[in-house]
């Protein structure tokens, strides 16, 4: 059962393909904000995946973050999430990222529980 307090943890090495330069979000060889956001979403999603019913998934619907410190290539970024609210199918998470020297980002992320088949069918109906 999904209840506040569920925690998640993910880590990623900062490699050239995760830099602002590689993402096109800047010119520097530092951990890209889009890469941090992807790590945050991944951590939240994975933390609750085992609590979902067969055929269900979650999709991100809101993310409000601050990226407060740069991380160079060669370091590791750790992301921690905590489910802080469950409102029907809406899940709200607190999320933070840090490297070996301290916090680099934080925010709030909302995800909605969906039925994968129905969601995919509705989405691809746009092509008709």
């Amino acid at each position: 059962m999904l209840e506040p307090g569920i925690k998640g943890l993910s880590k990623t090495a900062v490699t050239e393909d995760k830099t602002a330069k590689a993402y096109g979000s800047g010119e520097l060889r530092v951990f890209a904000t889009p890469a941090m956001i992807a790590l945050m979403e991944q951590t939240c999603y994975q933390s609750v995946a085992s609590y979902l019913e067969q055929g269900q998934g979650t999709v991100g619907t809101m993310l409000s973050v601050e990226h407060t410190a740069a991380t160079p290539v060669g370091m590791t970024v750790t992301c921690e999430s905590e489910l802080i609210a469950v409102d029907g199918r809406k899940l709200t998470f607190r999320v933070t990222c840090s490297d070996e020297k301290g916090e680099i980002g934080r925010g709030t992320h909302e995800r909605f529980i969906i039925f994968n088949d129905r969601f995919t069918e509705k989405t691809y109906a746009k092509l008709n």
Side-chain angles (χ1 to χ4, degrees):
M1 179 165 183
L2 283 168
E3 294 181 357
I6 296 171
K7 295 183 179 185
L9 177 72
S10 295
K11 294 183 180 196
T12 192
V14 180
T15 53
E16 291 293 339
D17 62 319
K18 295 178 184 138
T19 63
K21 185 172 184 170
Y23 269 83
S25 63
E27 298 178 5
L28 301 178
R29 292 177 54 242
V30 297
F31 192 54
T33 300
M36 183 182 77
I37 288 170
L39 182 61
M40 289 175 162
E41 286 207 68
Q42 173 191 5
T43 305
C44 294
Y45 160 70
Q46 288 178 342
S47 73
V48 298
S50 66
Y51 294 87
L52 302 174
E53 296 175 17
Q54 184 73 20
Q56 287 184 328
T58 62
V59 293
T61 57
M62 188 282 298
L63 189 61
S64 175
V65 298
E66 296 177 283
H67 193 170
T68 57
T71 303
V73 171
M75 291 186 86
T76 298
V77 174
T78 300
C79 183
E80 297 179 71
S81 68
E82 181 177 0
L83 181 61
I84 59 172
V86 178
D87 182 11
R89 295 188 304 142
K90 183 173 87 170
L91 309 176
T92 304
F93 299 85
R94 180 182 314 117
V95 63
T96 60
C97 283
S98 58
D99 61 25
E100 290 95 328
K101 297 296 182 181
E103 186 177 288
I104 66 162
R106 73 177 71 141
T108 304
H109 180 39
E110 290 181 358
R111 300 187 70 79
F112 269 78
I113 298 170
I114 52 99
F115 290 92
N116 295 330
D117 290 344
R118 289 195 322 217
F119 185 88
T120 301
E121 184 178 312
K122 182 179 178 183
T123 300
Y124 278 86
K126 289 180 171 185
L127 295 174
N128 297 329

